[in-house]
């Protein structure tokens, strides 16, 4: 059974091989000769050998994991293989690119070695893990029982770029798709814990913590926002990931501070939502509200036209359970978060849902007081409308 525990086991195997390789690299660095050219020669010869040795260790662990998962789904025989480590010349090229500080006479020797060590550690770690990923991809492409594979984030932290790539979900395991994924090995950055996971059943596995649909919604939202900010521009994946990282600091910013009043996900409870409040939120009344598409309440944001009442009510629950929480004025609680690519705010007053409205996202419009027709929010800058467009609490 492919579950989060199994994925973490695969990640741990690759990490162990990489850590052992780095330990040997540390020993090698402590014994480098004094002469600059001699140092270069030793590193260019020894580092590819380290990568090959420990890359094979990671590959064996990945192969064993692959076969174990396969036996849980099928009884047919299969002759597995180990993935190829990065070519020695590729590793040497990466080594040449990072050992420059060793030959910089303006740097103190200890500082030069420290800088070189950090960069070489990254080269070795990424190369060793690449061999494990290559093993998964190669076998999935050869195995008629492995229908698809996915890049699955693992570990306690994952960057926005990895999430963006993981949003592509389960792709068919063909030689062409595996070859393409292997050629983009550089997309697995230093410190990346993403693993390649095959799917042996007819349905895509459900892995706790891996929701490609949610990740894809984030990607689409970031891409749409960039296109609207810069008409005619075709944003790159790196640019989309950079924007998503800024829009979701609680997920991607290590320095993010938890808001006062934040409630652990495990202790959250849904606030009551009365029929009267539902009418207020959707269609509006004399006090305000009116956020369903077509409500035509001037100055109010509207949910996308394709959102049904059921979609909106489901999103209200989703944001309370998974959104960012903050106390407001000591007597009310705000939740803010994404649901299906739309940023939504939910206000709780006296223990009940009081106000709900979309802030921005694909299909979100607002009837501005100075106009008589709805306009997409993404046309307006954060400078002009900071309370609506900016990722802030007002």
């Amino acid at each position: 059974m492919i579950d989060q525990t199994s994925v973490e086991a695969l990640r741990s195997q690759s990490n162990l091989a990489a850590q052992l390789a780095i330990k040997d690299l540390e020993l090698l660095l402590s014994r480098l000769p004094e002469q600059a050219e001699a140092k270069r020669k030793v590193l260019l010869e020894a580092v590819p050998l380290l990568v090959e040795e420990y890359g094979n260790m990671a590959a064996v662990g990945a192969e064993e994991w692959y076969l174990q998962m396969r036996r849980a789904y099928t009884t047919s025989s299969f002759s597995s293989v180990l993935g190829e480590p990065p070519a020695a010349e590729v590793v040497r090229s990466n080594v040449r690119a990072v050992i420059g500080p060793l030959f910089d006479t303006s740097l103190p020797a200890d500082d030069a070695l420290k800088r070189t060590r950090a960069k070489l550690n990254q080269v070795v770690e990424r190369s060793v893990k690449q061999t494990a990923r290559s093993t998964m991809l190669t076998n999935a492409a050869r195995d008629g029982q492995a229908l698809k594979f996915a890049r699955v984030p693992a570990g306690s932290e994952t960057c926005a770029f990895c999430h963006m790539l993981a949003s592509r979900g389960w792709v068919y395991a063909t030689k062409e798709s595996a070859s393409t994924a292997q050629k983009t090995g550089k997309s697995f950055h230093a410190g990346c814990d993403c693993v390649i996971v095959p799917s042996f059943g007819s349905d895509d596995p459900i892995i706790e913590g891996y929701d490609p649909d949610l990740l894809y919604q984030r990607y689409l939202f970031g891409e749409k926002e960039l296109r609207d900010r810069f008409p005619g521009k075709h944003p790159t994946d790196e640019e989309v990931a950079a924007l998503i990282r800024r829009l979701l600091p609680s997920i991607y910013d290590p320095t993010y501070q938890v808001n006062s009043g934040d409630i652990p996900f495990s202790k959250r409870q849904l606030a009551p939502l009365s029929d009267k409040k539902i009418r207020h939120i959707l269609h509006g009344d004399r006090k305000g509200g009116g956020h369903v598409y077509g409500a035509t309440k001037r100055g109010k944001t509207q949910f996308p036209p394709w959102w049904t009442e059921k979609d909106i009510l489901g999103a209200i629950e989703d944001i309370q359970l998974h959104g960012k929480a903050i106390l407001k004025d000591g007597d009310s609680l705000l939740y803010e978060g994404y649901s299906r690519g739309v940023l939504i705010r939910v206000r709780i007053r006296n223990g009940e849902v009081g106000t709900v409205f979309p802030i921005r996202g694909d299909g979100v419009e607002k009837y501005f007081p100075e106009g008589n027709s709805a306009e997409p929010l993404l046309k307006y800058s954060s400078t002009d409308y900071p309370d609506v467009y900016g990722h802030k609490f007002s």
Side-chain angles (χ1 to χ4, degrees):
M1 187 73 177
I2 300 177
D3 54 21
Q4 187 62 31
T5 301
S6 301
V7 172
E8 286 299 320
L10 177 59
R11 178 186 72 89
S12 296
Q13 289 175 353
S14 293
N15 279 348
L16 176 60
Q19 289 165 5
L20 291 173
I22 290 173
K23 186 176 180 180
D24 272 9
L25 175 63
E26 293 284 346
L27 182 61
L28 173 66
L29 290 173
S30 70
R31 298 178 177 178
L32 285 178
E34 292 295 329
Q35 298 80 8
E37 285 306 314
K39 288 180 182 179
R40 188 196 308 271
K41 182 178 180 180
V42 169
L43 290 173
L44 292 178
E45 289 180 356
V47 174
L49 295 176
L50 273 179
V51 167
E52 182 179 6
E53 178 183 355
Y54 289 100
N56 285 335
M57 176 188 293
V60 169
E63 180 190 33
E64 291 175 350
W65 189 95
Y66 183 95
L67 293 175
Q68 180 182 355
M69 294 300 107
R70 190 181 190 280
R71 286 192 291 269
Y73 289 90
T74 178
T75 58
S76 62
S77 60
F78 175 68
S79 179
S80 58
V81 297
L82 297 181
E84 291 291 330
E89 189 49 48
V90 171
V91 177
R92 278 192 284 269
S93 176
N94 291 333
V95 171
R96 291 190 190 98
V98 300
I99 61 176
L102 286 178
F103 311 101
D104 187 346
T105 56
S106 67
L107 290 175
D110 289 345
D111 191 20
L113 184 59
K114 181 179 179 181
R115 295 188 188 187
T116 304
R117 177 187 292 114
K119 294 295 184 180
L120 280 175
N121 284 351
Q122 293 178 357
V123 170
V124 169
E125 181 235 18
R126 185 169 55 195
S127 300
V128 168
K129 290 182 178 180
Q130 184 178 332
T131 313
R133 293 168 181 139
S134 174
T135 298
M136 305 301 290
L137 290 167
T138 301
N139 284 296
R142 296 174 62 253
D143 189 355
Q145 298 297 320
L147 305 180
K148 299 179 181 180
F149 66 83
R151 174 186 180 131
V152 178
S156 58
E157 294 182 4
T158 304
C159 72
F161 187 70
C162 287
H163 270 177
M164 179 202 63
L165 295 176
S167 74
R168 293 166 184 170
W170 299 90
V171 298
Y172 285 99
T174 63
K175 290 183 179 179
E176 291 75 17
S177 62
S179 176
T180 299
Q182 285 174 301
K183 289 178 181 178
T184 58
K186 61 183 179 181
S187 65
F188 294 95
H189 58 82
C192 177
D193 279 332
C194 293
V195 295
I196 301 298
V197 177
S199 169
F200 296 101
S202 57
D203 298 324
D204 296 342
I206 297 176
I207 301 175
E208 181 184 358
Y210 175 52
D211 185 348
D213 292 335
L214 172 62
L215 299 180
Y216 190 54
Q217 286 291 339
R218 290 180 188 166
Y219 172 80
L220 290 179
F221 180 78
E223 182 188 47
K224 177 70 164 59
E225 186 139 326
L226 280 175
R227 287 181 181 275
D228 280 292
R229 290 188 188 187
F230 307 99
K233 177 180 175 59
H234 298 286
T236 65
D237 286 345
E238 290 82 359
E239 290 169 335
V240 173
L243 179 63
I244 294 172
R245 185 166 56 247
R246 291 197 299 273
L247 293 178
L248 298 173
S250 61
I251 297 176
Y252 300 118
D253 183 1
T255 64
Y256 176 78
Q257 299 295 316
V258 176
N259 290 295
S260 172
D262 196 39
I263 304 171
F265 295 139
S266 60
K267 296 184 179 180
R268 295 195 180 190
Q269 295 181 346
L270 296 175
L273 177 59
S274 65
D275 290 340
K276 181 178 179 179
K277 281 297 180 182
I278 292 176
R279 290 193 297 271
H280 166 84
I281 293 166
L282 297 180
H283 306 290
D285 52 31
R286 60 184 179 82
K287 294 182 179 180
H291 300 286
V292 72
Y293 183 79
T296 65
K297 287 285 185 177
R298 293 181 66 185
K300 300 296 181 180
T301 54
Q302 296 184 349
F303 285 97
W306 54 85
W307 277 44
T308 65
E309 178 178 333
K310 182 178 179 181
D311 292 331
I312 296 172
L313 295 180
I316 294 173
E317 293 186 356
D318 187 31
I319 301 308
Q320 292 180 73
L321 294 176
H322 304 108
K324 179 172 64 175
I326 188 172
L327 284 174
K328 184 72 173 177
D329 300 328
D331 62 353
S332 64
L333 183 66
L334 296 179
Y335 289 102
E336 185 179 280
Y338 286 86
S339 181
R340 297 172 60 196
V342 173
L343 185 61
I344 300 171
R345 186 175 298 170
V346 178
R347 183 188 292 271
I348 308 299
R349 288 195 180 96
N350 300 320
E352 298 182 354
V353 176
T355 304
V356 178
F357 60 92
I359 298 175
R360 64 171 181 264
D362 190 19
V364 176
E365 297 181 344
K366 177 173 180 175
Y367 274 77
F368 286 93
E370 61 268 28
N372 294 316
S373 62
E375 295 286 348
L377 288 183
L378 295 178
K379 290 178 62 177
Y380 296 89
S381 71
S382 56
T383 302
D384 295 333
Y385 295 93
D387 61 322
V388 173
Y389 194 86
H391 189 68
K392 299 177 181 178
F393 287 101
S394 58

